[in-house]
Amino acid sequence: MLILKRDRFRDLPVRLRVFMTDIYIVTGPDYINMIWKQSQHLRSEIYRRLIVYNMFGMPDDAAQFYLSDDSGINMTSSPQSNVEPSQRVKYLTHQSLTKLLTGSGLTLLAENFAVNLAEQFTAIEGVTSEWSDLPDLFTFMRDELFKATVRAICGENLLALNPTFCEDFWVFDKGLASLTKRFPRWVVPSAYAARDKCLAEVRIWHEFIQTNLEDESTNRIPNKISRIFGTEFIKSRQEMWRKMERMSPQAMASEDLGVIWGANGNSIPAAFWLVLEVFRNPSLLAKVRQEVERCLVTSQSVYPSFDLPRLCSRPLLQSIYTETLRLYVSTSIIRSPENADIKLGAWIIPKGTLIMIPSFVVHHNQALWSDAPNGSRSVETFCPDRFLRYPGPSQPITTRTIETPDPRKVDSSAALLFSSEDLSGYFMPYGGGHGMCPGRHFAKQEIIGALAIMVTLFDIELSENGAGRVQPDMGGFGMGALKPKQKVAARIRRRKI
C-alpha cells in the first residue's frame, strides 16, 4: 500500500549561497512538477560541463566545440544558430542515442544483453549443482553484467582487445567522485591514471575499427550485430565524428567511455540491490520465480530466454523494480534558467542561478511516503508491494493518495495491478521533464532481465552479513545508484531448469 502525503510548508525551496553562487534546493513535489513543466526553458549546461571536462577527460578544444554548439537537440536548428548541419554535435549525438534506445534499436540491444548474460552465467566456471562460496555477490554480478552490456553495445572486440578493461573500468568508476570535484591530478593521481587507461583501451578499439572498415560489410552476424562495430549506434558515431575536425581520437574515446559508463554505472548497482532484496526474502523469491516462469520462452537453447516486454510488465516485478530505485538511487538533478527568470509558486528563480533536486531526499522523506496513515512503516524499509493495488472502485485514488483497501473487503482472487499514478514530483530516479534519462527503458529491461536470469539459473543463500542490512555507500550520494558499502558473502549453486 502506498500513501503520498504533502506538507506545503516543509516542502518550500531553500536557497543556499555557495562560492558566490545561489543554489535553490527543491524537494517539494508540487515545486518539482513546476520545474518539469518549464524544463524546456531550463538548461543543464553545468552538468554537461561536469561530464565532458571532468568525468571522461575530453580535451579542451573538443569540449569547447561541444559546449559552443547552440543549435539545440531538435531536428530544426535554433534560429539564432549558425552551426553547419554536419557540425551539430549535440543534435547528432542525441539522435544516435535515440535510435539505440528506442524502437527496434532498443529491442535488439535488450535482447542481445539478455542473451549475452544468460550465456555467460550458464558457462561461468566454479558454479555447479553443489553449494560453493561466493566472496562477494556484488562483484560476481557487476563483472558479468558489465561484460554482457559492453558486448551488446560494442560487439566482441573492445573486450577481446583489452582483456583487463572490465577491471580497469571499475577502478575508474571508483575514482569518479574525485574527478567530478575537479581535484587536480597531483591530488588524486590514481583516479586520473585509471581514466587514462580506460581511454587508451577505447582508442585501441577505435583504431581496430578504422583498420577493418573495408571488411565490415562481410562481417555481420545474422542478428544485425556487426563484428567490427557492434551496433549501428557505434558505426553512426564513427561516421559522424569523421566529419568533425575538432573531434580528435581522444575526444571520440571520451565520448564512448561516457556511453559505456552511462549503460553500466547505475543500472548494475540497481540490479544488485534488486537481486539482494529478492534472495534474502524466501517468500518474495518464490513469487518472483512464479512471475518469471510465466515469461520464459521455450526453446532448444541450453540457457534461458525471456519475453522481455512481457517480463517488464509483470505487476510484482515492476513494483520491486520501482521500490529498488526509490530506496537505492541518489541523483542530483541540476538545472538553470536559460534566458529569463522562472516562477515556482511565489518564488522567483533568477536567470543563471542553479536549481538542484536531490532525489534521495525526496524518495526518503517520511512526510511524503508511508504505508499507512500513521506512517508505521519506515521509508527505509524495502516494501515489495508498495506500488501494487487491487483493481475496482473499492480502491480510491485521489490526487496524491494511492491506498490499498481493507483486505477483508477485497476479492482475494482479483489480480494485483502495478500503479505508478500520481508519482510525478515524488519519484525521479531518471530525472524528469525534457532532461529525463534517455536510457531508462533499456535500464529497466537490463535490471529486471538480470533478476530473471539469476533467479532461474541459481540458488543463492546470503551469509549472516549478507542477510542483514547491507548498507549503501553514501560516498556516492548524488551520483546515481548507490553501491554496497561492504562485501556481501554468499553461497551459490546452479539450479536445474
Side-chain angles (χ1 to χ4, degrees):
M1 171 172 56
L2 170 64
I3 294 177
L4 306 176
K5 303 184 296 182
R6 290 179 293 179
D7 184 329
R8 61 179 178 175
F9 301 107
R10 194 179 306 178
D11 295 345
L12 290 174
V14 175
R15 184 179 66 181
L16 300 178
R17 191 160 183 82
V18 181
F19 299 117
M20 304 301 292
T21 300
D22 284 337
I23 302 177
Y24 290 81
I25 309 298
V26 181
T27 59
D30 290 342
Y31 294 104
I32 292 171
N33 279 326
M34 293 177 193
I35 292 171
W36 298 158
K37 290 176 182 178
Q38 301 177 80
S39 60
Q40 71 272 23
H41 303 302
L42 303 173
R43 60 192 177 101
S44 56
E45 204 67 23
I46 186 170
Y47 182 67
R48 207 177 297 276
R49 288 177 184 273
L50 181 71
I51 292 174
V52 299
Y53 276 122
N54 304 330
M55 292 177 68
F56 305 115
M58 182 170 284
D60 288 345
D61 184 60
Q64 289 297 334
F65 168 63
Y66 193 100
L67 295 170
S68 64
D69 178 8
D70 60 355
S71 66
I73 62 171
N74 297 319
M75 182 177 295
T76 302
S77 179
S78 299
Q80 75 277 7
S81 176
N82 294 316
V83 177
E84 293 293 324
S86 65
Q87 305 301 302
R88 295 187 61 200
V89 63
K90 290 180 182 176
Y91 163 69
L92 293 171
T93 299
H94 177 76
Q95 184 184 47
S96 67
L97 278 170
T98 299
K99 288 182 178 179
L100 175 71
L101 298 170
T102 60
S104 59
L106 172 62
T107 299
L108 180 63
L109 178 62
E111 288 177 351
N112 279 305
F113 163 78
V115 168
N116 292 343
L117 188 62
E119 286 180 341
Q120 290 169 204
F121 275 142
T122 300
I124 199 166
E125 296 181 357
V127 180
T128 68
S129 59
E130 301 295 327
W131 287 110
S132 59
D133 291 333
L134 200 60
D136 183 22
L137 177 62
F138 176 65
T139 302
F140 174 77
M141 287 185 59
R142 182 196 70 185
D143 293 349
E144 295 304 324
L145 267 67
F146 177 81
K147 293 172 186 175
T149 303
V150 170
R151 291 172 61 207
I153 297 173
C154 306
E156 305 293 336
N157 291 310
L158 175 55
L159 295 175
L161 292 165
N162 304 285
T164 64
F165 185 65
C166 176
E167 177 184 348
D168 299 334
F169 175 86
W170 292 112
V171 175
F172 157 69
D173 176 76
K174 188 176 181 179
L176 271 181
S178 298
L179 294 173
T180 59
K181 294 171 184 174
R182 303 184 68 179
F183 291 146
R185 185 180 287 266
W186 63 269
V187 174
V188 285
S190 60
Y192 282 90
R195 187 182 69 187
D196 292 345
K197 188 170 185 183
C198 286
L199 288 171
E201 289 169 323
V202 174
R203 286 189 63 176
I204 289 171
W205 171 54
H206 282 177
E207 289 167 5
F208 171 85
I209 289 175
Q210 295 300 318
T211 302
N212 291 276
L213 281 178
E214 294 181 0
D215 299 328
E216 195 275 331
S217 61
T218 59
N219 278 274
R220 301 196 66 82
I221 300 172
N223 64 357
K224 299 181 182 180
I225 290 292
S226 165
R227 288 189 176 92
I228 305 302
F229 289 105
T231 54
E232 288 292 325
F233 167 73
I234 297 297
K235 179 180 179 180
S236 68
R237 284 161 71 86
Q238 290 285 322
E239 293 172 344
M240 170 183 74
W241 289 331
R242 285 199 296 273
K243 299 175 183 177
M244 300 175 180
E245 292 184 2
R246 296 176 71 180
M247 287 298 291
S248 65
Q250 184 75 359
M252 297 177 195
S254 174
E255 278 275 1
D256 272 353
L257 181 60
V259 168
I260 293 167
W261 185 84
N264 291 280
N266 292 311
S267 57
I268 290 178
F272 160 77
W273 289 114
L274 179 57
V275 167
L276 178 76
E277 294 289 358
V278 168
F279 272 102
R280 69 176 169 188
N281 185 335
S283 175
L284 177 59
L285 175 59
K287 293 176 183 178
V288 167
R289 279 178 170 156
Q290 288 179 351
E291 292 279 84
V292 166
E293 286 172 4
R294 292 188 177 100
C295 304
L296 193 62
V297 176
T298 302
S299 70
Q300 302 301 314
S301 176
V302 296
Y303 53 83
S305 60
F306 300 93
D307 181 337
L308 286 175
R310 186 183 179 198
L311 187 74
C312 291
S313 67
R314 301 301 300 174
L316 176 61
L317 299 183
Q318 290 195 84
S319 182
I320 60 176
Y321 160 78
T322 305
E323 177 70 345
T324 297
L325 300 187
R326 183 196 69 80
L327 196 57
Y328 294 112
V329 171
S330 171
T331 58
S332 293
I333 303 160
I334 301 173
R335 299 289 185 268
S336 178
E338 184 172 15
N339 298 315
D341 301 348
I342 67 166
K343 190 174 182 180
L344 297 183
W347 289 65
I348 300 296
I349 310 298
K351 172 186 174 181
T353 56
L354 299 181
I355 301 170
M356 177 182 291
I357 305 171
S359 71
F360 192 86
V361 175
V362 181
H363 292 174
H364 289 248
N365 187 343
Q366 185 72 59
L368 302 178
W369 301 82
S370 67
D371 76 327
N374 62 4
S376 59
R377 180 176 292 180
S378 168
V379 291
E380 304 304 323
T381 301
F382 182 85
C383 181
D385 59 353
R386 190 182 295 273
F387 298 92
L388 295 178
R389 65 178 177 86
Y390 287 96
S394 61
Q395 178 183 359
I397 299 180
T398 60
T399 304
R400 289 299 185 201
T401 303
I402 301 175
E403 296 179 346
T404 300
D406 186 336
R408 295 169 295 182
K409 301 178 182 180
V410 173
D411 178 5
S412 61
S413 64
L416 285 168
L417 302 175
F418 169 72
S419 177
S420 60
E421 296 182 46
D422 301 319
L423 291 183
S424 179
Y426 287 83
F427 183 70
M428 60 215 70
Y430 297 112
H434 287 267
M436 188 174 290
C437 173
R440 62 192 182 277
H441 303 300
F442 173 58
K444 182 178 182 179
Q445 296 190 55
E446 188 180 11
I447 293 166
I448 295 179
L451 172 68
I453 291 168
M454 291 196 69
V455 300
T456 301
L457 289 178
F458 303 125
D459 286 321
I460 297 175
E461 289 186 356
L462 303 172
S463 68
E464 184 176 342
N465 171 49
R469 185 63 181 172
V470 180
Q471 295 296 320
D473 182 0
M474 299 307 294
F477 185 90
M479 294 190 65
L482 301 169
K483 298 177 179 64
K485 193 172 184 178
Q486 61 268 78
K487 290 184 177 181
V488 182
R491 63 176 192 158
I492 186 171
R493 69 182 178 189
R494 197 174 296 280
R495 298 178 74 224
K496 291 182 180 180
I497 58 172

